Amino acid sequence: SESEFEFYLNDFLEKNSKALNILKEVEVNLKNGSRVNSCSKQRDAARIGILANESLLKAYKQNGSNPPIEVIELSNKRWNSILENCRA
């Protein structure tokens, strides 16, 4: 059975991958001229990305090690930028 550290790390990896895949899908659709649901999908990706980062922080806490706070904060800043700038 997986430890709490492994649980949170796997949760981070799954959510981060899902968020990035959504953004790639939006990018492909935009390049193909389709803007349908692009903002709502980007916002979904941002929410998932923020949740992924929360899981990463929990994994570090479970492991008793110091997380790369600057990297995580920068990532959250990018995700929050999507939430703030994509309102349509």
Side-chain angles (χ1 to χ4, degrees), residues 35-36 39 57 62 88:
R35 295 185 54 87
V36 175
C39 263
L57 286 171
Q62 286 299 319

Side-chain angles (χ1 to χ4, degrees), residues 28-76:
V28 167
N29 289 341
L30 289 172
K31 284 181 180 177
N32 291 331
S34 174
R35 295 185 54 87
V36 175
N37 297 326
S38 65
C39 263
S40 65
K41 286 182 180 181
Q42 288 178 70
R43 290 175 60 81
D44 287 344
R47 285 193 221 35
I48 294 167
I50 290 168
L51 291 173
N53 286 340
E54 288 174 7
S55 287
L56 184 59
L57 286 171
K58 289 176 184 176
Y60 271 93
K61 183 177 180 182
Q62 286 299 319
N63 204 32
S65 54
N66 293 325
I69 278 296
E70 298 82 14
V71 174
I72 294 171
E73 287 176 349
L74 185 59
S75 176
N76 277 339

Side-chain angles (χ1 to χ4, degrees), residues 10-22:
N10 287 333
D11 191 57
F12 161 74
L13 293 170
E14 289 173 23
K15 285 179 174 148
N16 193 58
S17 177
K18 182 175 182 179
L20 294 176
N21 284 335
I22 291 170

Side-chain angles (χ1 to χ4, degrees), residues 7 68 77 82:
F7 171 81
K77 188 174 182 179
I82 291 172

